[in-house]
Amino acid sequence: VQLQASGGGLVQAGGSLRLSCAASGSIFSINTMGWYRQAPGKQRELVADITSSGSTNYADSVKGRFTISRDNAKNTVYLQMNNLKPEDTAVYYCNAARRLLTTTVYEYWGQGTQVTVSS
C-alpha cells in the first residue's frame, strides 16, 4: 500500500487547510484511514480517523475544528482543518490500517506533510 499525502503549508491562525491522502496498491483489506501528527519534541498523536463505514474519531483538541472524510471511489481521505491554531503546527502523517476491534493488524504510513500555523 502506498499513501500519497498533500496539502500542507503555512497559514495564519484562524485560517484553513485541507490535507489529502490517496491510497494505492493492495488496499482491499484496509478498513481505517486517518491522520496523525507529530510536533517537535512530542510523540506522534492521533488527529482523526475514519472507518470504511464512515465512523469517525477525533482528538479532543481538534473536535469542532477539523473534519475527516473519505471518498471510497477514489481511495482518498481528507482532513479539513478550520480555525487553525499555532499549537496545530506539526508534521501530519496519513495512516491506513487494518483494525479488528482495538487491535491494529497492520498499518501503513505516508510521508509527512508540514503544517505551520503562525500567530
Side-chain angles (χ1 to χ4, degrees), residues 24-38:
S24 61
S26 300
I27 60 174
F28 60 91
S29 61
I30 298 297
N31 60 7
T32 303
M33 293 186 70
W35 293 92
Y36 289 70
R37 67 186 181 188
Q38 187 167 20

Side-chain angles (χ1 to χ4, degrees), residues 13-53:
S16 298
L17 285 173
R18 189 175 85 151
L19 305 182
S20 299
C21 176
S24 61
S26 300
I27 60 174
F28 60 91
S29 61
I30 298 297
N31 60 7
T32 303
M33 293 186 70
W35 293 92
Y36 289 70
R37 67 186 181 188
Q38 187 167 20
K42 294 187 177 181
Q43 289 188 330
R44 190 174 296 188
E45 63 176 1
L46 172 70
V47 177
D49 61 23
I50 184 168
T51 68
S52 54
S53 62

Side-chain angles (χ1 to χ4, degrees), residues 46-49 56-63 66-69 79:
L46 172 70
V47 177
D49 61 23
T56 58
N57 178 43
Y58 294 92
D60 287 343
S61 59
V62 307
K63 284 181 180 177
F66 292 10
T67 302
I68 191 168
S69 61
L79 185 67

